[in-house]
Amino acid sequence: MLNFLKYVKNFVTNFRLIFIKSHKLSIILNYHRIGNVDPQNPFHRLHTVSFTTFKFQVRMCLLIGKFVSLDQITNSNLHSRLNFCITFDDLSYSCHEALLWLNKQKIPFAVCPCKQITEESLSWRDKVYYIEKFISNKDALDAVRKKFPTSKFQSNDSFYSLSKSSEFDQGDMIKDVVNVLFKSVQTGKKKLENKKNYFNSIDLIRLKNKIENLEIVNHSVSHANLTHFDIAQLNNEISECDEFLRDLFDETPSYFAVPFGKFDSRLAIGLCEVARVHQKKAILWVSNRFNLDIGATPNKTKQLSRFHTATSVLGLFKQILGSFLLPHF
């Protein structure tokens, strides 16, 4: 009953702000892969929306609002009551057709490359998917226990969840557990398919040349869970990726997309401190809430929420409606 009343209160508050006080709002849709899903391909464990569904989702949004850029949101340059924006994390090569389609439709969007993924065409999360497919959960957990002997977890916990848990040092988890297990998969069980999985540096340059107003977002160096990173580590994640992208595009990204995206107040404080130094206009999280336009705030770093976009048109419609039951971000 208390939850129901809370949702009603949020809905009334949001309705009043938007339809009575005429505030504008923005919903940022975030995607990873656009295409079909092969259940046997570990790469397809990544959040995937079919191209047909993606186009229907975009058209549905056009019926009820207008697509804008991240700059328009942060600069409070919004002319519609309901605004949508699109971002692509990691930049899977499966998105290529969708990006060209958006450009043809004159719909702005932003891409969020991670340095390590762009350089290696493989993320450490992809390695986790391979490990899950070809190594038993027990053997994977034994490797975690060997590296972190004082850690406490259950034998039925999933390696997938533990590998990104903030309870473990992410650098050690990636280097001494994930990479070691993945190497054993490659040498003894299953060779990685030799195909392009992500946009590489040359692909990114070509994309930027094709799409003049393409927005580039810093998505960190390593795509690690940053929750317990200190200021020096956060600074390295942002500055090194900034340098990498500046070398490619001769411009410094104005935004930072948090790996995994879950909002954490302690991390937000640290990222704000670092982001101001690197002149970031906004930090992008993932919490399935809409952003209320509060006007332009020069010299301040905004916090923006994104949707982990549903894989169906009806699912996205429910997400949009559901966001009115939550506090705006």
Side-chain angles (χ1 to χ4, degrees):
M1 185 65 179
L2 288 177
N3 282 338
F4 175 76
L5 293 175
K6 182 174 65 175
Y7 292 142
V8 170
K9 180 181 177 182
N10 289 334
F11 180 82
V12 171
T13 299
N14 290 331
F15 185 91
R16 180 169 174 270
L17 285 170
I18 296 161
F19 296 103
I20 297 178
K21 292 198 168 185
S22 298
H23 279 276
K24 298 179 177 67
L25 67 91
S26 59
I27 291 174
I28 306 175
L29 308 179
N30 188 49
Y31 296 90
H32 289 84
R33 287 189 75 255
I34 304 292
N36 297 323
V37 176
D38 175 4
Q40 300 303 312
N41 188 335
F43 278 106
H44 293 191
R45 283 282 305 278
L46 191 66
H47 166 226
T48 302
V49 176
S50 76
F51 188 32
T52 299
T53 298
F54 173 76
K55 289 190 286 187
F56 272 117
Q57 288 179 337
V58 169
R59 285 168 177 150
M60 179 188 75
C61 294
L62 284 170
L63 289 175
I64 57 177
K66 181 180 179 181
F67 278 97
V68 297
S69 66
L70 287 173
D71 277 350
Q72 285 175 282
I73 293 174
T74 55
N75 294 334
S76 194
N77 183 22
L78 303 175
H79 305 290
S80 173
R81 189 166 291 177
L82 177 56
N83 303 274
F84 294 94
C85 182
I86 298 177
T87 63
F88 296 88
D89 276 4
D90 308 337
L91 213 52
S92 164
Y93 201 74
S94 66
C95 297
H96 187 250
E97 187 178 2
L99 303 185
L100 297 182
W101 179 81
L102 287 173
N103 188 49
K104 187 176 180 180
Q105 306 301 313
K106 301 188 185 308
I107 294 174
F109 61 90
V111 295
C112 314
C114 164
K115 180 185 177 185
Q116 179 264 318
I117 295 175
T118 303
E119 290 183 328
E120 298 182 23
S121 197
L122 183 71
S123 80
W124 71 275
R125 297 310 295 166
D126 295 321
K127 295 178 182 180
V128 169
Y129 302 150
Y130 266 76
I131 291 166
E132 280 197 307
K133 184 174 178 62
F134 298 110
I135 293 180
S136 71
N137 192 64
K138 178 182 179 302
D139 289 343
L141 294 190
D142 285 345
V144 175
R145 194 172 285 110
K146 182 179 178 181
K147 176 61 187 176
F148 304 100
T150 61
S151 62
K152 295 180 180 180
F153 53 86
Q154 304 300 315
S155 59
N156 60 348
D157 287 342
S158 73
F159 176 67
Y160 174 86
S161 298
L162 288 180
S163 64
K164 62 179 180 179
S165 170
S166 59
E167 298 300 314
F168 304 98
D169 180 277
Q170 280 284 277
D172 289 344
M173 175 63 77
I174 295 170
K175 177 169 62 76
D176 297 327
V177 179
V178 174
N179 287 348
V180 171
L181 287 174
F182 181 70
K183 185 177 181 181
S184 73
V185 171
Q186 290 294 283
T187 57
K189 295 182 181 291
K190 175 72 174 176
K191 291 290 184 184
L192 184 66
E193 290 89 347
N194 185 24
K195 61 182 293 187
K196 183 180 289 188
N197 298 298
Y198 295 92
F199 278 71
N200 60 31
S201 296
I202 295 174
D203 296 323
L204 286 176
I205 293 172
R206 288 173 177 166
L207 185 68
K208 188 70 166 70
N209 289 338
K210 281 183 183 178
I211 303 171
E212 184 178 355
N213 296 318
L214 177 66
E215 290 182 308
I216 308 293
V217 178
N218 181 324
H219 195 36
S220 82
V221 172
S222 65
H223 206 290
N225 183 342
L226 307 179
T227 306
H228 292 302
F229 275 36
D230 61 28
I231 294 298
Q233 291 172 307
L234 292 176
N235 182 71
N236 182 70
E237 287 288 332
I238 292 180
S239 62
E240 191 175 327
C241 189
D242 266 357
E243 184 179 346
F244 169 69
L245 295 173
R246 188 164 51 242
D247 287 344
L248 293 182
F249 306 117
D250 198 29
E251 64 179 71
T252 302
S254 298
Y255 303 94
F256 179 73
V258 183
F260 302 107
K262 183 178 179 181
F263 182 80
D264 178 88
S265 57
R266 178 183 177 278
L267 175 58
I269 292 170
L271 283 176
C272 279
E273 182 175 334
V274 176
R276 279 195 294 270
V277 173
H278 295 284
Q279 298 181 313
K280 296 291 177 266
K281 293 181 181 179
I283 297 169
L284 311 182
W285 304 86
V286 178
S287 66
N288 291 359
R289 302 189 187 197
F290 68 74
N291 303 288
L292 191 71
D293 181 38
I294 58 172
T297 54
N299 304 317
K300 290 187 178 181
T301 301
K302 286 187 175 182
Q303 311 289 316
L304 297 176
S305 168
R306 299 183 291 169
F307 280 24
H308 183 71
T309 312
T311 57
S312 68
V313 177
L314 179 59
L316 175 57
F317 184 70
K318 289 180 177 178
Q319 282 184 315
I320 294 171
L321 290 180
S323 67
F324 280 80
L325 303 177
L326 302 172
H328 59 80
F329 199 70

